[in-house]
Amino acid sequence: MLILFVTLIIIQNACSLTCKDILDMPKNSKIKLYELETLQPKEIVDCISHLGRIKLNISEAEFIWNSIIKFYNEIPLIPDEILSCLHWVTIAIKPEEYQNLTLSNIDIITNFGLDYDLSNDQLVAIADRVREDFGAKQPEDYTVYDLTALRQILCAFQGSEIKRIHPKSYKEAALLVRKLKNCSDDVMEGFASLATHKDAFGPPENWKRETICILGGVVQYLSENVMSKLKKNLGNDILEEIDKDRTLEEECN
Ligand SMILES: *[C@@H]1O[C@H](CO)[C@@H](O)[C@H](O)[C@H]1NC(C)=O
Ligand SMILES: *[C@@H]1O[C@H](CO)[C@@H](O)[C@H](O)[C@H]1NC(C)=O
Ligand SMILES: *[C@@H]1O[C@H](CO)[C@@H](O)[C@H](O)[C@H]1NC(C)=O
């Protein structure tokens, strides 16, 4: 009986991974679900910044998220350091679970603002938290740093909130805004209305092709009147410019 017991312990140790084993894995090798399932919640928590770094599928992300909840007993007790480095684990968080999270600091917001192709319901739940928890800061107060942290969360805001952002902050963050994915028309129109402000890029009459490049997709939300002026000044092919340069932002300058 004792021998069997000892053998079982050895087998279990041989198969179960620790955070250290994961850190020792070759760089960029991706941990498999069956390997994750051998990790105790403590090992998962210790290794969280490493585990979230490479794209996870939903089963892997859910396993990790549930292990984190198990380790801390409940969602509100999960520390800020963990929430700030969830990365791909973020896809496992359900919209209703955001009711129990506090997104009050910029490091946490940075985690949730990255592009994980979250559902609209998830992004809306995150935006609601930001309104409530980051509430000392209103859109008028957002700096380029805040916008850089918020990123995709901005796409779940109302156009009316986007219009309240200071045009100067938008200008400083414009290269980042052009890379946002799946923003609603309402939000894009908000950015377009900031673009022509004197504290942003000023009257479109003075824009160069470079300005079009910096603005990216936002240009398509300018009024038809402004668009026809731009085409007249800069050439009919400016829209091609937007698509062509989308991934080459260094070429805007
Ligand atoms: C996620 O990846 C694991 C391998 O790590 C695989 O076994 C599992 O079927 C995948 N799940 C989904 C939902 O794609
Ligand atoms: C929020 O936390 C409370 C207390 O821990 C818990 O009872 C409730 O189920 C949680 N809600 C969600 C959606 O996780
Ligand atoms: C975002 O857009 C891409 C294509 O542009 C689409 O494949 C994806 O499903 C969209 N995501 C959401 C959350 O709507």
Side-chain angles (χ1 to χ4, degrees):
M1 187 62 200
L2 182 65
I3 292 175
L4 178 63
F5 183 66
V6 170
T7 316
L8 278 177
I9 286 182
I10 291 170
I11 290 172
Q12 208 202 355
N13 279 349
C15 304
S16 99
L17 295 175
T18 63
C19 177
K20 184 170 177 308
D21 297 328
I22 296 190
L23 295 177
D24 287 344
M25 281 164 70
K27 202 163 173 278
N28 292 333
S29 74
K30 196 174 167 309
I31 186 160
K32 301 285 188 330
L33 184 60
Y34 70 84
E35 294 169 320
L36 274 176
E37 285 170 345
T38 72
L39 284 160
Q40 292 301 308
K42 178 181 184 306
E43 301 296 332
I44 297 226
V45 166
D46 285 349
C47 248
I48 190 63
S49 67
H50 192 78
L51 289 172
R53 210 175 294 159
I54 297 176
K55 191 167 181 170
L56 299 165
N57 73 23
I58 188 69
S59 343
E60 296 158 346
E62 277 176 354
F63 183 81
I64 296 173
W65 178 238
N66 291 330
S67 302
I68 295 171
I69 300 174
K70 200 183 283 175
F71 186 76
Y72 291 105
N73 293 316
E74 40 184 312
I75 294 177
L77 300 179
I78 302 174
D80 289 357
E81 308 85 83
I82 300 292
L83 296 178
S84 346
C85 55
L86 291 175
H87 291 162
W88 283 100
V89 178
T90 306
I91 64 172
I93 305 178
K94 296 182 191 73
E96 58 273 20
E97 290 179 315
Y98 283 97
Q99 289 159 15
N100 276 340
L101 287 167
T102 307
L103 308 190
S104 57
N105 89 40
I106 196 88
D107 293 332
I108 301 182
I109 291 176
T110 300
N111 175 76
F112 290 93
L114 296 178
D115 177 23
Y116 313 106
D117 201 10
L118 297 178
S119 71
N120 194 50
D121 287 349
Q122 285 169 313
L123 277 175
V124 165
I126 295 171
D128 280 345
R129 284 259 57 92
V130 169
R131 285 188 193 102
E132 204 153 311
D133 303 336
F134 204 43
K137 278 214 180 191
Q138 294 294 310
E140 289 82 349
D141 309 314
Y142 290 161
T143 63
V144 62
Y145 300 105
D146 298 321
L147 297 175
T148 304
L150 288 161
R151 283 176 198 247
Q152 286 299 134
I153 305 171
L154 293 167
C155 293
F157 276 33
Q158 305 290 326
S160 55
E161 294 172 290
I162 299 294
K163 286 182 184 155
R164 286 164 53 199
I165 294 171
H166 199 287
K168 184 167 171 290
S169 299
Y170 161 67
K171 184 184 189 183
E172 290 167 357
L175 281 174
L176 177 146
V177 168
R178 81 194 284 277
K179 289 207 280 189
L180 297 179
K181 306 260 176 62
N182 304 42
C183 275
S184 65
D185 290 347
D186 191 29
V187 164
M188 294 302 276
E189 280 160 18
F191 286 125
S193 78
L194 295 177
T196 55
H197 195 279
K198 68 173 170 41
D199 292 329
F201 296 93
E205 286 78 5
N206 303 335
W207 291 5
K208 304 192 181 68
R209 287 185 83 96
E210 176 192 319
T211 321
I212 306 294
C213 177
I214 294 171
L215 291 171
V218 171
V219 171
Q220 278 145 297
Y221 292 85
L222 296 164
S223 72
E224 270 181 40
N225 184 23
V226 169
M227 277 308 289
S228 60
K229 274 190 219 160
L230 285 171
K231 284 183 184 167
K232 189 159 157 280
N233 291 348
L234 302 173
N236 275 321
D237 59 341
I238 51 171
L239 288 183
E240 284 166 36
E241 189 86 356
I242 298 166
D243 290 333
K244 193 174 67 193
D245 287 335
R246 195 168 266 281
T247 56
L248 301 172
E249 68 181 49
E250 62 272 18
E251 295 201 350
C252 288
N253 296 305

